[in-house]
Amino acid sequence: MTALETLPILDLSRLDKGADEAAAFRAQLREVTHEVGFFYLVGHGVSQQLTDEILALSRQFFELAIEDKLSIENVKSPQFRGYTRVGGELTHGDIDWREQIDVGVERPAVEPGPGVDDYWRLEGPNLWPDALPEFRTAVDRWNAELSTVALTLLRSLAESLGSPADIFDEAFAERPFSLIKIVRYPGESNPDPKQGVGAHRDGGVLTLLLVEPTKGGLQVEHGGEWIDAPSVPGSFVVNIGEMLELATGGYLKATLHRVMSPLVGNDRISIPFFFNPALDSAMPRLELAPELAVEARGLSVDPNNSPILETYGDNALRYRLRAHPNVAAVHHADLLAPAPAPAAEPQLLQNR
């Protein structure tokens, strides 16, 4: 495996510069997602004006009075939406030092009951801050524009692997389940690094991450080493999720990554957009050409030794229950096994 000092940069606009350039882009995309699983994406067409607006409104949200933020705290949402205070989420069993607001696709809630898969509990409304009404409009625009970019990438990736460009479309045609997290990392490192978010792989399909200009902290595992991935002007950091690893038998690899907290006196805004299919979708398994199939590495397990599950909703629900035990205890106690000790992490029942 070739050593890396920084993530590769790919230019999406090459798809519009003729057949040869488009083919070269798809070949580079296949190579990078196989070897690294992470890259910077430029030429994506998302306006700087919208980018500046979403970052400014994110700062305004986190500057609201604590009463305004807690009025939409996620413990009020069975769908794990809304505000999470600093220290209110776990990754790899450890506390994440960040505050955030989670926004999903706005839909009516699905009532649990016989014959209704548990993962449908994740569908429902968002919690929006009354004190910042323009926030919702900007986030809705962000979701629409990044969904378009992500679908373009996904279709290019399918073609690069020898499949029809639209092979994944059905999984996203109805009830796609994208998620936006708007995150603030307060400065906690002093000077020894402190966890912002622990090492993990993303459980969905693709992630497009906007990092506040001039800020760092994201680290990507490659060849047993951690590579720093600071902000690059005009780019998104893109990474592969576990559902694409599953679809390709491990030819594409969902890569471990983590975030280190900024130094005391600083902070950092980041906005990951998770491009996910419908909760009841199972991603199609791609039939790779022999020269690609021989390089497929099989499926990984996450840092908690949990296998990738076939149906996206099962993956998503497992992660939510594990990351937000307070919300799970309030709204989904029937899905939790008795904890062996008070500090133990809630586990899914064996038949889930």
Side-chain angles (χ1 to χ4, degrees):
M1 183 177 290
T2 305
L4 288 178
E5 293 185 359
T6 187
L7 299 181
I9 298 177
L10 276 65
D11 185 349
L12 190 63
S13 69
R14 295 176 73 188
L15 290 174
D16 301 321
K17 296 179 179 177
D20 290 345
E21 277 291 296
F25 171 80
R26 287 191 289 269
Q28 184 186 22
L29 178 64
R30 181 184 64 239
E31 178 183 356
V32 166
T33 51
H34 172 64
E35 293 291 342
V36 185
F38 264 82
F39 58 94
Y40 292 109
L41 184 72
V42 298
H44 44 69
V46 177
S47 73
Q48 190 61 48
Q49 179 181 1
L50 178 58
T51 300
D52 293 343
E53 181 183 5
I54 197 76
L55 285 170
L57 286 168
S58 299
R59 282 234 165 255
Q60 290 178 47
F61 172 77
F62 291 119
E63 290 167 0
L64 291 175
I66 187 62
E67 295 82 7
D68 290 321
K69 292 188 286 189
L70 291 179
S71 70
I72 58 167
E73 191 173 15
N74 66 350
V75 292
K76 301 177 181 180
S77 169
Q79 293 78 32
F80 301 84
R81 311 282 178 87
Y83 175 72
T84 303
R85 64 181 78 194
V86 175
E89 184 171 16
L90 305 176
T91 301
H92 200 190
D94 298 318
I95 294 173
D96 294 331
W97 290 102
R98 59 181 182 176
E99 58 176 333
Q100 65 190 40
I101 179 171
D102 285 71
V103 181
V105 180
E106 190 87 22
R107 296 193 180 108
V110 177
E111 283 295 321
V116 178
D117 288 306
D118 292 332
Y119 52 69
W120 287 118
R121 301 184 188 197
L122 297 176
E123 286 226 323
N126 294 301
L127 301 180
W128 299 102
D130 290 336
L132 194 63
E134 59 269 41
F135 184 73
R136 178 172 183 171
T137 301
V139 171
D140 285 346
R141 285 183 60 204
W142 193 252
N143 177 72
E145 295 217 15
L146 268 66
S147 292
T148 298
V149 174
L151 185 57
T152 299
L153 267 178
L154 189 60
R155 288 171 172 168
S156 297
L157 195 52
E159 283 191 90
S160 79
L161 296 168
S163 293
D166 62 356
I167 193 168
F168 295 118
D169 283 16
E170 185 177 349
F172 294 87
E174 297 181 16
R175 303 174 77 95
F177 195 75
S178 296
L179 177 71
I180 296 171
K181 283 180 178 284
I182 297 178
V183 185
R184 174 183 170 269
Y185 295 93
E188 296 288 340
S189 301
N190 188 31
D192 292 335
K194 191 168 186 177
Q195 171 174 309
V197 60
H200 66 287
R201 299 179 178 92
D202 292 346
V205 174
L206 285 173
T207 303
L208 278 67
L209 171 68
L210 175 66
V211 180
E212 193 174 22
T214 75
K215 300 297 176 74
L218 174 64
Q219 295 182 330
V220 176
E221 192 276 332
H222 182 72
E225 302 291 334
W226 290 102
I227 302 168
D228 288 322
S231 172
V232 169
S235 76
F236 294 110
V237 181
V238 179
N239 65 279
I240 295 299
E242 290 180 335
M243 299 309 287
L244 278 179
E245 180 173 324
L246 185 69
T248 61
Y251 180 80
L252 302 181
K253 208 70 171 175
T255 303
L256 280 173
H257 52 288
R258 66 187 185 186
V259 178
M260 308 313 294
S261 177
L263 290 171
V264 169
N266 294 283
D267 68 355
R268 171 185 185 261
I269 300 289
S270 67
I271 307 176
F273 168 82
F274 301 97
F275 188 56
N276 301 321
L279 289 168
D280 59 351
S281 292
M283 294 290 282
R285 300 297 187 96
L286 302 191
E287 186 174 344
L288 301 178
E291 65 271 18
L292 300 182
V294 74
E295 296 185 20
R297 294 157 290 197
L299 302 184
S300 59
V301 295
D302 72 13
N304 291 277
N305 200 36
S306 301
I308 301 171
L309 303 176
E310 290 276 346
T311 303
Y312 171 65
D314 288 328
N315 256 0
L317 180 61
R318 177 180 67 185
Y319 278 118
R320 291 309 231 178
L321 293 173
R322 195 165 63 194
H324 297 281
N326 56 338
V327 180
V330 172
H331 298 287
H332 308 292
D334 59 313
L335 301 183
L336 304 178
E345 183 183 353
Q347 298 294 318
L348 285 172
L349 293 171
Q350 293 301 309
N351 64 349
R352 299 293 177 188

